[in-house]
Amino acid sequence: MDLRTTYLGLTLKNPLVPSASPLSRSLDMAKKLEDAGAAALVMYSLFEEELQHDQEVMDDYLNHQTLGHAEAASFLPLHGDLPSRQESYLEQLTRLKQALEIPVIASLNGITPGGWIEHGKALQQAGADALELNVYYIAGDSRVSGAEVERRYIDLLHELRQHVTLPIAMKLSPQFSSVANIISHLERVGANGVSLFNRFYQPDIDIDSLRVTPQLSLSSSADALLAMRWIAMLYGRVKLSLAATGGVHNHEDAVKMLLAGADVVHLCSTLLIHGTGRLAEILRGIEDWLEESPYESIEQLKGTLSQQHAGDASAYARANYLQLLNSYLPAGDG
């Protein structure tokens, strides 16, 4: 069976790509993922807030240490002598590139164009094979319109594209008025792919301490259906690469994404839960399924159940919603 696929212009040996997670912080874990069959690796994210914090701490340190003690200036470390998170990230990228044979995709997470050009250029120079932009932006300001939110994404990509030649994938949330429209705009501005969808982690409220608390909940297979639907509707209507992320836990989930039209399937929660060996299990499951299917390759099956090719195109549209409601039989008194 030919498992090869193309993503962001990269030819991959199969469609399974571990997404940004703590696993890529360890060379040993990264090697285990490659040995398990990973076709590429998305690094953990470099966060804009962390970079800003590093700069603020350094500025505060340098400004306050010399107050009243001018002679102390000669003993202070130079700004470049203390490693920043960007430098640590670039060092890990270099180590991964040296240790792995598969492509390594860097990940930037932020909301403003500010330093992204500098960071993008540095990642390109360090040897990243591609760049994933995770624009994690929650539009909670009532004065900001939907058009302004979309413009933020488009401007950020446009500005970065002027300075970086790397393939760029935009990791998007589903919370756009028109997902297809914003993706079409991003394609015109220079995106090589989109990753659908980013998950916003929701805070919780502790009713005993009366505090808002962070809440980390890993995905389930049910979470994959939203991305599957949009990938199926986008397939054949855009030319950029389509990556499915969030909710893929087994080979059945992965095959569904490919049938819908995904070029690659990102894995995260299932690897954190079951370990790196889970990737090999999913890959074997895909191979076994293909052996029993009428398809001979990933490219042949890709998109065969997209909206464009499905026998009933309404299955992905509003008509499906109506059919589901009318067919549901309530339990108990019903």
Side-chain angles (χ1 to χ4, degrees):
M1 288 293 171
D2 186 354
L3 301 180
R4 289 176 298 175
T5 187
T6 301
Y7 179 59
L8 303 177
L10 304 169
T11 299
L12 306 182
K13 60 185 178 181
N14 66 63
L16 298 185
V17 177
S19 61
S21 79
L23 294 175
S24 59
R25 293 180 182 272
S26 163
L27 280 182
D28 181 57
M29 285 292 185
K31 281 294 294 179
K32 287 182 178 179
L33 288 170
E34 182 179 49
D35 293 341
L41 176 68
V42 182
M43 286 184 66
Y44 61 94
S45 289
L46 184 61
F47 283 84
E48 177 184 349
E49 293 88 344
E50 292 178 332
L51 298 173
Q52 290 176 342
H53 177 72
D54 284 350
Q55 185 62 50
E56 291 168 1
V57 169
M58 176 58 72
D59 291 344
D60 184 67
Y61 173 70
L62 294 177
N63 288 336
H64 285 78
Q65 289 298 312
T66 57
L67 291 178
H69 305 281
E71 69 278 5
S74 60
F75 297 97
L76 288 175
L78 296 175
H79 191 288
D81 290 342
L82 299 179
S84 67
R85 296 187 207 228
Q86 175 174 302
E87 291 168 337
S88 298
Y89 192 91
L90 293 174
E91 290 172 1
Q92 179 66 354
L93 170 59
T94 300
R95 287 191 289 265
L96 289 171
K97 286 294 297 178
Q98 292 172 345
L100 306 178
E101 296 181 5
I102 58 176
V104 178
I105 301 171
S107 175
L108 285 176
N109 190 312
I111 59 173
T112 60
W116 283 48
I117 293 175
E118 174 193 345
H119 308 320
K121 290 168 67 175
L123 292 168
Q124 177 170 284
Q125 189 172 10
D129 294 285
L131 180 59
E132 181 179 88
L133 298 185
N134 186 344
V135 190
Y136 193 102
Y137 177 65
I138 299 176
D141 189 339
S142 62
R143 296 167 297 179
V144 178
S145 69
E148 290 176 279
V149 173
E150 293 182 0
R151 178 52 56 185
R152 181 188 296 265
Y153 285 70
I154 295 167
D155 289 347
L156 190 156
L157 174 62
H158 179 265
E159 188 170 345
L160 185 61
R161 181 45 86 199
Q162 308 309 306
H163 300 84
V164 173
T165 58
L166 283 176
I168 296 177
M170 299 291 288
K171 192 169 187 178
L172 305 177
S173 85
Q175 298 178 355
F176 288 95
S177 298
S178 177
V179 172
N181 182 263
I182 182 66
I183 290 175
S184 295
H185 274 291
L186 293 171
E187 182 177 18
R188 288 194 292 272
V189 174
N192 302 97
V194 287
S195 181
L196 308 177
F197 284 111
N198 191 0
R199 296 175 65 230
F200 288 152
Y201 294 108
Q202 311 300 338
D204 200 354
I205 292 179
D206 187 323
I207 62 174
D208 295 320
S209 65
L210 299 181
R211 292 182 177 179
V212 178
T213 59
Q215 183 71 26
L216 175 62
S217 57
L218 298 179
S219 69
S220 68
S221 292
D223 294 319
L225 297 180
L226 180 61
M228 186 194 76
R229 182 185 200 179
W230 273 108
I231 287 171
M233 291 194 291
L234 289 166
Y235 180 83
R237 294 182 170 88
V238 294
K239 295 180 180 179
L240 43 64
S241 295
L242 300 172
T245 186
V248 177
H249 284 256
N250 49 55
H251 80 272
E252 291 95 340
D253 297 334
V255 169
K256 290 175 187 178
M257 292 298 194
L258 295 169
L259 289 168
D263 294 294
V264 296
V265 176
H266 287 312
L267 304 174
C268 182
S269 292
T270 191
L271 301 179
L272 296 176
I273 295 170
H274 301 288
T276 56
R278 182 66 165 180
L279 193 148
E281 295 176 16
I282 295 174
L283 188 57
R284 285 195 298 270
I286 294 174
E287 292 173 332
D288 292 342
W289 185 89
L290 276 171
E291 289 287 350
E292 301 297 324
S293 78
Y295 307 107
E296 297 181 355
S297 69
I298 293 295
E299 287 297 332
Q300 187 183 17
L301 76 85
K302 193 186 299 181
T304 54
L305 288 182
S306 64
Q307 187 178 43
Q308 190 177 62
H309 294 144
D312 179 12
S314 67
Y316 291 110
R318 180 178 169 84
N320 185 54
Y321 171 75
L322 180 61
Q323 292 167 4
L324 283 174
L325 291 181
N326 289 338
S327 64
Y328 182 78
L329 297 176
D333 296 340

